[in-house]
Amino acid sequence: MLFALICNDKPGHLQLRMDTRPDHVAYLTGLNDKGVLKIAGPFLDPDGKPNGSMLVVEAENEEAARAIAAGDPYAMAGLFASTDIRPWNWTFNKPEGA
């Protein structure tokens, strides 16, 4: 089952995001290597600076998706003001094998 993880940064925490980014990228790379991560990327503020994240992951259930979200180094560093986890259906432009 697919889940969208919609994460909003705490205001004024860009430096924490940048400092934690290498660990975050390594975490996502590991999820990708396991076939768990489907898509990911940052939300941007009006100045083009990242201020949140959206990931789509494959997980057995919502509890497993929550565990994936909690294991993200950004979440562990306290970057996010909120994280919304929602079941998601990939309807259009799904790559073959995804």
Side-chain angles (χ1 to χ4, degrees):
M1 181 172 208
L2 296 177
F3 292 88
L5 285 52
I6 301 166
C7 309
N8 297 296
D9 291 4
K10 293 176 183 171
H13 282 69
L14 180 59
Q15 190 59 52
L16 177 60
R17 173 178 274 274
M18 301 316 293
D19 291 346
T20 312
R21 189 173 189 281
D23 292 336
H24 169 74
V25 170
Y27 181 70
L28 296 186
T29 298
L31 293 177
N32 189 59
D33 290 347
K34 296 175 188 172
V36 171
L37 181 65
K38 300 305 177 185
I39 59 174
F43 291 112
L44 304 175
D45 70 12
D47 296 323
K49 294 182 179 158
N51 65 356
S53 300
M54 187 186 80
L55 293 76
V56 174
V57 299
E58 187 167 359
E60 186 175 320
N61 52 41
E62 186 174 334
E63 183 178 333
R66 286 196 182 283
I68 292 167
D72 187 322
Y74 281 166
M76 294 170 57
L79 176 62
F80 299 136
S82 65
T83 300
D84 188 21
I85 298 174
R86 300 166 147 189
W88 189 71
N89 184 26
W90 198 338
T91 305
F92 291 98
N93 297 324
K94 182 176 179 181
E96 281 190 45

